[in-house]
Amino acid sequence: MVEASQKIPVTVLTGYLGAGKTTLLNRILSENHGKKYAVIVNEFGEIGIDNDLIIGADEEVFEMNNGCVCCTVRGDLVRIMDGLMKRKGKFDAIIVETTGLADPAPVAQTFFVDEDVQKNARLDAVVTVADAKWLSDRLKDAPEAKNQIAFADVIVLNKTDLVSKPELAEVEARIRGINPYAKLHRTERCQVGLSDVLERGAFDLDRILEIEPEFLEAGDDHDHDHDHHHDHDHHHHHDHGHGLKHYHDEDMQSLSLRSEQPLDPARFMPWLQQLVATEGQKILRSKGILAFAGDDDRYVFQGVHMMLEGDHQRKWKNGEKRESRVVFIGRDLPEQAIRDGFQQCITT
Amino acid sequence: MKEFDPGEGPSIVSITDRVKLLPLGGAVGSVHFLGDRAFFVGAEESVAIAGIDGEVTRTGTHFGAILCAASDGKRLVTGGDDGKLIAIDAKGETTVIATDAKRRWIDNVALHGDGTVAWSAGKTALVRSAKGEEKTFEVPSTVGGLAFAPKGLRLAIAHYNGVTLWFPNMAANPEFLEWAGSHLAVSFSPDNKFLVTAMHEPAMHGWRLADNRHMRMSGYPGRVRSMSWSVGGKGLATSGADSVIVWPFASKDGPMGKEPAMLAPMPARVSVVACHPKNDIMAVGYSDGVVLMVRLEDGAEILVRRTGGAPVSGLAWNAKGTLLAFGAEDGDAGILEM
């Protein structure tokens, strides 16, 4: 078995048409970082860099033959990964660019369900490039754009120079209304530190350290003092984080559950499995850090639609608050039923 | 994982000391014989050629990964991620058969006895006759596998949700065999009565061509990546489990309603199978590097290679059945005279 650290990290790059995915991709490929990337693109020729590891893909989404309708994978990706693995050692990481209209789920799920893909590669993060000027409109009329925001681990809010401060605050509030957990970076021409988008380990169970909404964290971009033009604006927002406008998105929400009382694993696990089995189509992403009764280990899990993976992570530290936190991001989530179900899992 | 060590036990005959070892260096993708020389297709760039004398020569082929290879015993044809389809003759000389205009990956290749070659890039399947006449056919999704029927010029194209049977020289509409799911490798039984595919799921699917009746062959713990017909097509040996799964095809119903034989169980998965061209024995490679020869009738085993670390990735017999060659993912290989 290949150790997780030896598996090739895969970054999924999504974003609605024209948001700036290609700009970011060109930057990643042209910057002098000493790393070689294999890039799987859907449109040949847009990338102005000569690289024999740029591969055209067809975005063929297949249903798995297991009777689960949302269990879709990218068949072309399975094939391409297979071919790329013949050139192991010739590249350090893989970037999968999706079309503007793509749902990121089948890409992510490919890394969960395909045995061969899983053996050699690991999903690093879903990075969504969003257009500060047009995203608010797209969130109203394009369900794909909303999916991409909801699914993201990292959001690059691009073209901030084309909007006023109030407009920027507005679009950010809309993003946060859908996904308060992603790392958000404001950029012009996708000028973001590459370490902010690559090697994030967002799907690494060992790195699920905190699941707090981003705007509650004071130093979101502590590592952000390199080059960007938006420092001012940025810190200003954080200082007044709680005063931001709050939007509740009509159909895409995040739902956060917590309990200071330990959970009963004999009730929680079946409940969670049942929940994703019945509501998995609506649940885009899930994550949790759990304190089980009679268990000195932190248990962590994460999921994409119906697929879950979880493990004991480490011992609870002395003095660490043994609190369970679970987050779901999804469409039309049955909030009350989920809250009631979770409540039933708490030991009394 | 436990190491396989037959120790001093009398239960298994070992001929490991008769194997000529060939440390090739680069990962082996597949092995083929042209005459009495074994051609080890590398994962990238070149093909290593060796005879029983153990002398290795190397022929450069693709600038990049070698994605597929097929041989008819007279030539070896490989497709690469450089968009090229290259033929290699028994002397090791190469000829470029085709270059994809868009430099798409050549994913699959198949050879017909009359010199026709078929290959695929994305959703397009192409055939070129020995005279150089080329025809193309588009299927609805990426081609997973190609195989020529043993009779006539008929090409099976595996793809998502089924297999298309195309007659490149006839105006008739292609036939479509439907079955939900993603179909990869495809193979006709030598008697032309059955067509089987290895699926993306850990299962095989089959059709009886007379009436298109379905055969589901499932229960594998892993995907089936290698299959081989035994002499006369009586059985189909497959990889994917920790024993060789051999489906019975001797009767007119094929494996319908029958259990497969499960031979040569080991504490590792079978990664490659190659049936002997004349006798009812097969060579079996495992994910821990072990190579066995196994008699189909009773499962009697002969050890050819002990645990070697990396999975065995290629196995082949020469046409006479006197030589066996194997190669592994770590670049170790060997050749054995029977």
Side-chain angles (χ1 to χ4, degrees):
Chain A
M1 201 64 197
V2 183
E3 291 292 313
S5 58
Q6 294 172 332
K7 292 186 185 184
I8 294 167
V10 180
T11 302
V12 180
L13 187 57
T14 76
Y16 209 68
L17 308 162
K21 287 192 302 273
T22 308
T23 310
L24 182 56
L25 209 44
N26 272 325
R27 272 205 53 222
I28 293 171
L29 293 177
S30 58
E31 232 162 73
N32 187 16
H33 39 55
K35 290 210 167 177
K36 178 122 175 154
Y37 292 93
V39 186
I40 301 167
V41 295
N42 54 77
E43 287 288 347
F44 254 141
E46 280 190 22
I47 294 173
I49 287 151
D50 192 34
N51 180 338
D52 64 337
L53 288 169
I54 295 177
I55 303 120
D58 287 321
E59 295 215 336
E60 292 181 330
V61 175
F62 294 162
E63 261 173 49
M64 291 293 288
N65 230 357
N66 56 7
C68 150
V69 285
C70 66
C71 195
T72 49
V73 298
R74 281 270 304 271
D76 58 321
L77 208 50
V78 173
R79 172 181 66 89
I80 290 168
M81 291 296 296
D82 211 36
L84 270 179
M85 286 311 143
K86 297 196 167 211
R87 308 196 68 189
K88 247 190 266 181
K90 300 280 158 63
F91 55 93
D92 305 292
I94 298 170
I95 298 169
V96 183
E97 183 208 25
T98 71
T99 59
L101 299 174
D103 174 3
V107 183
Q109 290 176 164
T110 305
F111 292 87
F112 279 83
V113 299
D114 189 85
E115 189 189 10
D116 295 313
V117 170
Q118 219 183 23
K119 196 168 73 189
N120 295 305
R122 62 176 172 82
L123 198 54
D124 185 66
V126 176
V127 176
T128 299
V129 184
D131 181 327
K133 188 157 179 67
W134 295 110
L135 181 69
S136 295
D137 288 350
R138 292 297 81 78
L139 291 178
K140 287 174 204 149
D141 64 17
E144 301 87 0
K146 204 176 270 186
N147 259 345
Q148 292 163 358
I149 294 293
F151 220 90
D153 299 293
V154 176
I155 296 169
V156 177
L157 186 57
N158 194 31
K159 306 191 186 181
T160 53
D161 51 328
L162 302 182
V163 293
S164 65
K165 276 187 188 175
E167 283 174 314
L168 188 61
E170 163 94 15
V171 71
E172 276 188 24
R174 289 199 182 275
I175 289 173
R176 289 314 190 192
I178 296 167
N179 183 345
Y181 302 97
K183 291 265 180 202
L184 194 150
H185 303 283
R186 297 168 195 173
T187 65
E188 296 166 21
R189 290 172 294 281
C190 286
Q191 290 293 324
V192 61
L194 294 187
S195 62
D196 290 330
V197 290
L198 301 170
E199 293 286 340
R200 302 300 308 167
F203 286 85
D204 185 347
L205 282 177
D206 279 336
R207 284 170 68 172
I208 300 182
L209 301 174
E210 295 303 329
I211 36 175
E212 294 296 337
E214 275 290 307
F215 52 72
L216 296 179
E217 276 176 33
D220 160 22
D221 293 341
H222 42 270
D223 54 344
H224 226 227
D225 42 357
H226 9 97
D227 54 352
H228 312 162
H229 318 287
H230 53 66
D231 288 349
H232 249 358
D233 196 21
H234 205 80
H235 290 293
H236 177 77
H237 268 287
H238 277 284
D239 293 344
H240 301 277
H242 297 282
L244 275 175
K245 266 197 266 188
H246 182 74
Y247 278 99
H248 179 77
D249 193 87
E250 286 298 310
D251 48 30
M252 194 77 84
Q253 310 89 27
S254 69
L255 177 53
S256 162
L257 308 164
R258 55 174 71 211
S259 166
E260 292 182 17
Q261 288 292 108
L263 304 179
D264 178 356
R267 279 182 267 165
F268 180 83
M269 296 311 250
W271 169 73
L272 180 65
Q273 269 151 13
Q274 179 65 24
L275 179 67
V276 299
T278 53
E279 305 290 347
Q281 252 177 307
K282 295 177 184 165
I283 300 168
L284 273 67
R285 295 284 297 264
S286 56
K287 263 181 200 186
I289 297 173
L290 308 171
F292 285 131
D295 190 342
D296 279 336
D297 285 346
R298 259 162 71 122
Y299 190 90
V300 291
F301 79 90
Q302 61 141 339
V304 170
H305 287 302
M306 293 188 188
M307 287 163 204
L308 286 174
E309 60 172 18
D311 207 351
H312 285 101
Q313 185 191 30
R314 60 161 169 82
K315 291 243 178 296
W316 287 100
K317 289 176 193 151
N318 276 338
E320 186 179 15
K321 195 162 145 194
R322 294 197 182 190
E323 187 183 49
S324 296
R325 280 159 296 162
V326 176
V327 167
F328 297 102
I329 296 178
R331 197 179 284 280
D332 304 320
L333 295 176
E335 179 173 347
Q336 201 50 50
I338 294 176
R339 288 195 186 282
D340 292 345
F342 181 71
Q343 206 60 38
Q344 300 292 317
C345 304
I346 299 170
T347 56
T348 45
Chain B
M1 187 161 288
K2 275 187 290 180
E3 294 238 323
F4 174 72
D5 182 7
E8 301 301 310
S11 60
I12 187 161
V13 181
S14 167
I15 51 169
T16 54
D17 54 339
R18 286 173 45 195
V19 174
K20 184 78 115 187
L21 292 174
L22 308 163
L24 301 178
V28 173
S30 61
V31 183
H32 312 262
F33 268 96
L34 299 183
D36 289 340
R37 291 209 295 167
F39 286 58
F40 300 88
V41 178
E44 295 183 275
E45 289 165 7
S46 69
V47 174
I49 307 164
I52 190 65
D53 58 3
E55 198 178 308
V56 180
T57 55
R58 210 170 269 279
T59 298
T61 52
H62 296 273
F63 292 99
I66 304 176
L67 300 172
C68 55
S71 165
D72 57 7
K74 297 189 280 288
R75 62 175 176 164
L76 169 67
V77 179
T78 58
D81 71 358
D82 56 357
K84 289 196 189 321
L85 187 72
I86 292 175
I88 303 156
D89 67 14
K91 292 186 202 120
E93 279 171 20
T94 60
T95 322
V96 176
I97 300 177
T99 303
D100 189 83
K102 293 187 220 151
R103 206 177 164 260
R104 290 179 298 175
W105 289 14
I106 308 298
D107 297 313
N108 298 284
V109 60
L111 298 178
H112 191 276
D114 72 358
T116 303
V117 55
W119 71 98
S120 72
K123 296 172 192 172
T124 313
L126 303 95
V127 295
R128 180 181 288 176
S129 69
K131 288 183 221 145
E133 198 187 349
E134 201 169 297
K135 292 197 170 103
T136 66
F137 187 78
E138 289 276 318
V139 289
S141 62
T142 300
V143 177
L146 295 171
F148 278 109
K151 287 176 201 149
L153 191 68
R154 186 190 208 192
L155 182 68
I157 308 166
H159 48 86
Y160 187 56
N161 279 345
V163 177
T164 298
L165 296 174
W166 177 38
F167 298 87
N169 289 340
M170 282 160 72
N173 281 338
E175 202 180 323
F176 178 52
L177 303 173
E178 190 175 6
W179 185 257
S182 183
H183 298 263
L184 302 174
V186 57
S187 180
F188 285 92
S189 62
D191 61 7
N192 210 18
K193 288 191 175 130
F194 301 97
L195 183 76
V196 294
T197 61
M199 302 195 64
H200 176 250
E201 286 85 23
M204 308 270 299
H205 195 77
W207 290 267
R208 182 164 67 184
L209 293 170
D211 55 6
N212 291 354
R213 256 185 78 182
H214 293 283
M215 299 174 280
R216 300 178 66 173
M217 294 167 271
S218 57
Y220 292 87
R223 198 200 288 174
V224 179
R225 290 190 153 248
S226 174
M227 50 182 165
S228 176
W229 294 95
S230 68
V231 185
K234 281 180 283 187
L236 178 66
T238 58
S239 71
D242 56 7
S243 57
V244 188
I245 308 295
V246 186
W247 296 96
F249 276 85
S251 78
K252 67 174 172 46
D253 289 335
M256 283 184 255
K258 298 192 187 79
E259 292 283 317
M262 296 164 76
L263 304 177
M266 282 280 172
R269 284 230 186 119
V270 174
S271 51
V272 206
V273 286
C275 290
H276 190 276
K278 302 217 159 119
N279 301 317
D280 276 333
I281 56 173
M282 58 186 169
V284 185
Y286 293 81
S287 62
D288 61 356
V290 166
V291 177
L292 296 180
M293 277 196 294
V294 180
R295 191 156 59 197
L296 280 142
E297 188 193 356
D298 58 2
E301 300 160 10
I302 295 174
L303 184 70
V304 176
R305 184 189 191 229
R306 288 170 199 276
T307 311
V312 179
S313 47
L315 274 175
W317 297 92
N318 66 343
K320 288 178 276 181
T322 53
L323 297 170
L324 171 68
F326 62 83
E329 283 182 13
D330 60 0
D332 279 351
I335 186 164
L336 169 73
E337 188 158 23
M338 305 304 289

